[in-house]
């Protein structure tokens, strides 16, 4: 008896979504509601193609349906499909949380049922991962600080830099964002009963261990990290705000947050941010750029204590970090101050040869877009003695002072910052291969991709930088409200002296995560079905899809077979894919077909594949994952 293969909700929804046009023929709407205008500007044209690819790259790396996440558990975000040199086929708490935070923000812009399902699967998986005992401990004894777990959700017992205390804070922040979204949609009870208990465990970890030794986000330095401290503070402030909305409390959040903020000030050297205590390196590190953008609060203005992107501290530090790479890499040679360059992790880096990273270069751009947004929102920008060195690289006649929107100086300076920020994107454009695939690094010598392929964080970094750019460039302060920021409550006062402290618990395992079933009058009439097949090919070969129903060519492979897309193909994951709109509830048979350059047709072996298009409320996307049968 042949079993029918039932479809599951897709993690590859973008292929269809990005083809949707709104009422303006010069605009393309992608998942999350982002609008990409058609333009002749090379950077805009590139973004029109690359942003959908990057979104798809993220979804491909999320189990169980992601085309490149074969074997990953439901809701598990893998760092990369790479299994060797380096082996990144694991889930990092930090990387996954930053990725899901972007998806939550996308969902807030466009309430896509498939995207909501992916996020809820992630949350369910995290409740389980919190209970997994690992080398860092159990739920109540430090286990939440374990940096990574296996893709199937089991513990990793190999040697590693552990614990890493940024993960729980970032996961809490991602889940807080989703809880706030649920509240906005009248689902406070789900936020309280389902999401809040998972958040509480992570907040408990932060309040207990924020003052304990940690490995930095690069998992190399054991000591104290600016990035970790910054995101820990953000998590507690946002956690306290969410607790209040839910009619609960987080007393340890309110007592520990001021002390974390006090400790955060010690990373400021007077001219830049010291990335880590406990290291003999210079302290110039993209850690600080990432800490600034991932604690961005649009309603905090240019606050110095929280190192907001437009603060004098953050801008002075931006110059110091960027300049540390100007003469380091051959691909940066002959680039003048005030122009963008490729950015690595830190100047002393030797990992994989010590090269620029896509996500670090994108962080330099994103900070500047965030700053532009803040200045427009406030209606002015201030240049201090501290930040003057940053501004003079971009606009040499700049002087200290406060300049209001509408003045020539405000217009000139913000235009120069925008050009500078775009310059970092142009670096990424220059060194992104024609396929659009983003690895972890690119060569310091010629810009070719290096290290782990299809790095989830690289894709997420491009997406968040693009969103920051879009937000900064379209803001009309008279008509546009700032994005909701759960951290924009009144921050706790900065203590006069820092007091090392800790507050334990509570920790409660969350073992039964349930989500309300979607309700609708009628199920969707059509479903976007994505077909993924791993099929190694040689140059000139194509993979086609053909099947028993009209949408799949009714077995007429030569005249109506559907050619699959290979722009995500690599030696690690030889992926061919295509999304087809099918009638919900339809039974069908299908097969994949190989066609060589001479037109010779070769069908995959075995019986016809069978499937059924789902017909359920809220299910508008589905996926079939397959491997070529030979």
């Amino acid at each position: 008896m042949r079993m029918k293969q039932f479809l599951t909700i897709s993690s590859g929804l973008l292929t269809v979504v990005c083809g949707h046009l709104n009422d303006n023929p010069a605009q393309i709407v992608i998942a999350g509601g982002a609008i990409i205008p058609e333009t002749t500007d090379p950077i805009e044209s590139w973004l029109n193609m690359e942003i959908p690819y990057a979104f798809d790259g993220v979804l491909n790396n999320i189990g169980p349906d992601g085309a490149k996440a074969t074997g990953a558990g439901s809701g598990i975000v893998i760092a990369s499909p790479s299994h060797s040199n380096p082996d990144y086929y694991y889930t990092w708490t930090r990387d996954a949380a930053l990725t899901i935070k972007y998806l939550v923000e996308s969902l807030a812009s466009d309430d896509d049922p498939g995207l909501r399902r992916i996020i809820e699967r992630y949350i369910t998986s995290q409740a389980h991962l919190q209970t997994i005992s690992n080398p860092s401990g159990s739920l109540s004894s430090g286990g939440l600080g374990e940096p990574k777990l296996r893709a199937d959700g089991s513990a990793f017992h190999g040697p590693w830099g552990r614990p890493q205390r940024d993960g729980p804070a970032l996961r809490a922040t991602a889940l807080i964002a989703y809880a706030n979204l649920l509240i906005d949609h009248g689902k406070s009870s789900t936020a309280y009963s389902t999401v809040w208990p998972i958040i509480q465990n992570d907040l408990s970890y932060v309040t207990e261990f924020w003052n304990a030794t940690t490995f930095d986000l690069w998992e190399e330095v054991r000591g104290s990290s600016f990035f970790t401290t910054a995101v820990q503070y953000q998590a507690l402030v946002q956690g306290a705000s969410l607790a209040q909305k839910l009619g609960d409390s987080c007393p340890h959040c309110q007592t520990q947050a001021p002390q974390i903020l006090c400790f955060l000030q010690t990373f400021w050297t007077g001219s830049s941010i010291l990335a880590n205590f406990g290291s003999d390196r210079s302290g110039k590190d993209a850690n600080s750029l990432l800490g600034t953008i991932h604690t961005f609060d649009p309603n905090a203005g240019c606050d110095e204590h929280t190192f907001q992107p437009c603060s004098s501290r953050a801008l002075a530090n931006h110059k110091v970090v960027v300049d540390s790479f100007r003469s380091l890499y051959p691909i940066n040679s002959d680039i003048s101050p005030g122009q963008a360059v490729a950015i690595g992790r830190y100047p002393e880096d030797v990992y994989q040869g010590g090269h620029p990273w896509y996500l670090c270069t994108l962080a330099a751009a994103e900070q500047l877009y965030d700053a532009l947004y803040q200045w427009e929102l406030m209606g002015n920008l201030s240049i201090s003695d501290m930040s003057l060195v940053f501004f003079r690289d971009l606009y040499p006649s700049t002087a200290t002072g406060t300049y209001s929107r509408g003045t020539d100086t405000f217009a000139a300076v913000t235009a120069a910052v925008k050009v500078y920020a775009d310059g970092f994107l142009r670096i990424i454009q220059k060194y992104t291969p024609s396929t659009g695939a983003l690895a972890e690094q690119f060569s310091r010598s010629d810009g070719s991709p290096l290290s782990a392929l299809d790095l989830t964080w690289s894709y997420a970094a491009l997406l968040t930088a693009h969103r920051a750019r879009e937000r900064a460039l379209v803001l009309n302060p008279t008509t546009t409200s700032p994005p909701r920021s759960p951290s924009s409550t009144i921050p706790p006062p900065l203590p006069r002296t820092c007091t090392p402290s800790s507050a334990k618990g509570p920790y409660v395992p969350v073992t039964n995560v349930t989500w309300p079933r979607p309700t609708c009058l009628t199920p969707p009439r059509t479903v976007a079905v994505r077909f993924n097949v791993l099929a190694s090919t040689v140059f000139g070969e194509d993979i086609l899809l053909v099947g028993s129903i009209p949408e799949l060519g009714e077995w007429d492979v030569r005249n109506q077979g559907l050619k699959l897309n290979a722009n995500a193909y690599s030696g690690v994951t030889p992926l061919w894919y295509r999304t087809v709109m099918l009638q919900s509830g339809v039974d069908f048979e299908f097969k994949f077909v190989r066609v060589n350059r001479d037109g010779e047709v070769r069908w995959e072996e075995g019986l016809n594949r069978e499937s059924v298009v789902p017909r359920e409320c809220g299910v508008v996307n589905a996926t079939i994952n397959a491997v070529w049968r030979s």
Side-chain angles (χ1 to χ4, degrees):
M1 175 180 177
R2 290 181 292 174
M3 298 298 292
K4 290 190 175 181
Q5 177 184 2
F6 284 86
L7 303 177
T8 53
I9 299 220
S10 173
S11 63
L13 15 154
L14 185 71
T15 305
V16 170
V17 178
C18 73
H20 167 68
L21 295 176
N22 68 354
D23 293 334
N24 185 342
Q27 293 178 335
I28 299 174
V29 179
I30 69 168
I35 297 175
I36 306 176
E38 293 184 354
T39 176
T40 57
D41 184 341
I43 190 67
E44 299 283 359
S45 299
W46 176 71
L47 286 169
N48 287 350
M49 297 182 295
E50 184 64 21
I51 291 303
Y53 187 96
F55 195 92
D56 201 46
V58 165
L59 300 183
N60 280 337
N61 288 352
I62 303 177
D65 300 327
K68 299 187 178 183
T70 306
S74 178
I76 296 292
V77 183
I78 62 168
S80 162
S82 176
H83 285 272
S84 62
N85 194 32
D87 184 0
Y88 281 8
Y89 205 79
Y90 295 90
T91 182
W92 269 262
T93 305
R94 173 199 60 242
D95 301 34
L98 292 173
T99 300
I100 294 299
K101 176 71 180 302
Y102 172 81
L103 296 184
V104 172
E105 292 170 356
S106 297
L107 187 65
S109 302
D110 181 17
D111 189 17
D112 184 283
L115 196 56
R116 187 187 320 117
R117 178 69 178 274
I118 291 170
I119 294 166
E120 291 178 350
R121 283 176 169 176
Y122 163 80
I123 295 173
T124 301
S125 75
Q126 299 310 293
H128 173 68
L129 294 187
Q130 284 185 339
T131 67
I132 300 297
S133 295
N134 56 65
S136 294
S138 63
L139 171 63
S140 59
S141 63
L144 299 185
E146 183 69 6
K148 69 177 188 179
L149 294 96
R150 297 187 182 279
D152 62 3
S154 62
F156 169 70
H157 290 279
W160 207 254
R162 53 171 67 92
Q164 192 170 336
R165 306 191 194 277
D166 55 9
L170 291 167
R171 180 167 56 198
T173 302
L175 268 61
I176 288 168
Y178 191 62
N180 277 303
L181 189 59
L182 289 172
I183 293 170
D184 289 347
H185 286 79
K187 299 178 180 177
S188 296
S189 60
T190 301
Y192 182 74
S193 62
T194 301
V195 187
W196 176 237
I198 308 170
I199 296 171
Q200 283 183 300
N201 287 331
D202 283 334
L203 296 179
S204 293
Y205 182 89
V206 174
T207 61
E208 181 175 4
F209 291 106
W210 72 265
N211 194 43
T213 300
T214 180
F215 276 86
D216 73 327
L217 85 163
W218 308 130
E219 301 170 333
E220 297 172 342
V221 175
R222 190 173 188 273
S224 297
S225 163
F226 171 81
F227 178 86
T228 302
T229 304
V231 299
Q232 286 173 332
Y233 171 73
Q234 178 194 51
L236 295 195
V237 173
Q238 292 186 0
S241 176
L242 176 63
Q244 186 176 27
K245 288 183 181 180
L246 295 174
D248 206 337
S249 65
C250 183
H252 294 333
C253 295
Q254 295 170 326
T255 60
Q256 299 304 302
Q259 295 303 326
I260 299 177
L261 183 61
C262 191
F263 180 55
L264 187 65
Q265 311 313 304
T266 64
F267 291 93
W268 179 245
T269 68
S271 59
S272 64
I273 297 170
L274 180 69
N276 299 293
F277 291 111
S279 170
D280 58 1
R281 301 199 298 248
S282 65
K284 302 169 185 176
D285 193 315
N287 163 325
S288 56
L289 304 180
L290 291 159
T292 294
I293 65 172
H294 289 300
T295 55
F296 165 57
D297 180 349
N299 295 313
C302 300
D303 181 60
E304 301 288 348
H305 292 145
T306 54
F307 296 87
Q308 288 301 302
C310 65
S311 66
S312 293
R313 286 179 171 183
L315 293 172
N317 178 73
H318 188 283
K319 173 177 168 58
V320 169
V321 173
V322 171
D323 284 353
S324 71
F325 294 97
R326 286 195 179 277
S327 60
L328 186 63
Y329 305 140
I331 59 173
N332 288 343
S333 62
D334 302 324
I335 299 179
S336 304
Q339 294 183 319
V341 293
I343 306 298
R345 298 191 302 172
Y346 49 88
E348 302 87 351
D349 193 8
V350 296
Y351 173 65
Q352 297 275 336
H355 298 277
W357 285 45
Y358 289 101
L359 68 92
C360 296
T361 306
L362 288 162
E366 185 168 344
Q367 180 187 330
L368 301 182
Y369 294 132
D370 287 343
L372 286 166
Y373 182 88
Q374 289 173 312
W375 290 324
E376 286 289 344
L377 194 63
M378 294 187 301
N380 64 77
L381 66 85
S382 293
I383 300 174
S384 68
D385 290 334
M386 185 185 300
S387 61
L388 185 61
V389 290
F390 166 83
F391 287 104
R392 281 206 167 151
D393 275 352
L394 312 182
Y395 191 67
S397 62
T398 302
T400 58
T402 298
Y403 304 95
S404 298
R405 185 176 56 245
T407 63
D408 290 344
T409 301
F410 183 93
V413 170
T414 54
V417 172
K418 189 266 182 184
V419 170
Y420 188 35
D422 278 355
F424 292 101
L425 281 189
R426 294 182 198 279
I427 294 286
I428 298 299
Q429 177 189 7
K430 181 177 181 179
Y431 297 120
T432 296
S434 58
T435 62
L438 295 180
E440 179 182 67
Q441 305 170 45
F442 50 103
S443 169
R444 61 194 293 155
S445 300
D446 62 14
S448 57
L450 295 171
S451 192
L453 301 175
D454 293 309
L455 191 77
T456 308
W457 196 355
S458 292
Y459 289 128
L462 177 63
L463 293 168
T464 59
H466 173 259
R467 172 165 289 166
R469 182 179 189 268
E470 185 180 61
R471 181 172 55 210
L473 299 188
V474 303
L475 173 65
N476 181 342
T478 62
T479 61
T480 306
S481 299
R484 176 186 39 113
S485 172
S487 65
S488 59
T489 55
I490 299 175
L494 187 66
R496 292 185 177 180
T497 57
C498 298
T499 303
S501 58
S502 174
K504 183 176 176 61
Y507 298 97
V508 178
V510 181
T511 57
N512 185 25
V513 178
T514 58
W515 301 101
R517 293 181 61 85
T519 57
C520 62
L521 296 177
T522 58
R525 297 174 63 182
T526 60
V527 175
V529 181
R530 171 159 165 160
F531 295 82
N532 297 318
V533 60
L534 299 181
S536 296
T537 54
V538 298
F539 182 76
E541 283 188 321
D542 289 319
I543 301 296
L544 276 63
L545 168 67
V546 67
S548 60
I549 55 179
E551 295 89 339
L552 301 182
E554 296 182 310
W555 300 117
D556 184 358
V557 65
R558 289 194 177 276
N559 297 310
Q560 299 189 62
L562 303 179
K563 181 181 175 180
L564 304 190
N565 192 334
N567 67 348
Y569 184 103
S570 72
V572 175
T573 51
L575 174 64
W576 293 79
Y577 69 95
R578 180 158 179 164
T579 299
V580 186
M581 297 300 298
L582 300 180
Q583 296 296 314
S584 61
V586 170
D587 293 46
F588 65 97
E589 297 182 355
F590 67 100
K591 262 193 172 183
F592 299 103
V593 180
R594 187 182 300 259
V595 181
N596 66 20
R597 67 176 69 188
D598 297 324
E600 179 185 354
V601 174
R602 182 156 62 93
W603 295 70
E604 64 173 338
E605 295 184 358
L607 299 173
N608 294 340
R609 300 177 186 266
E610 294 187 342
S611 197
V612 180
V613 182
R615 181 176 173 81
E616 302 172 24
C617 287
V619 178
V620 295
N621 303 92
T623 295
I624 293 177
N625 287 323
V627 177
W628 174 268
R629 298 187 307 212
S630 60

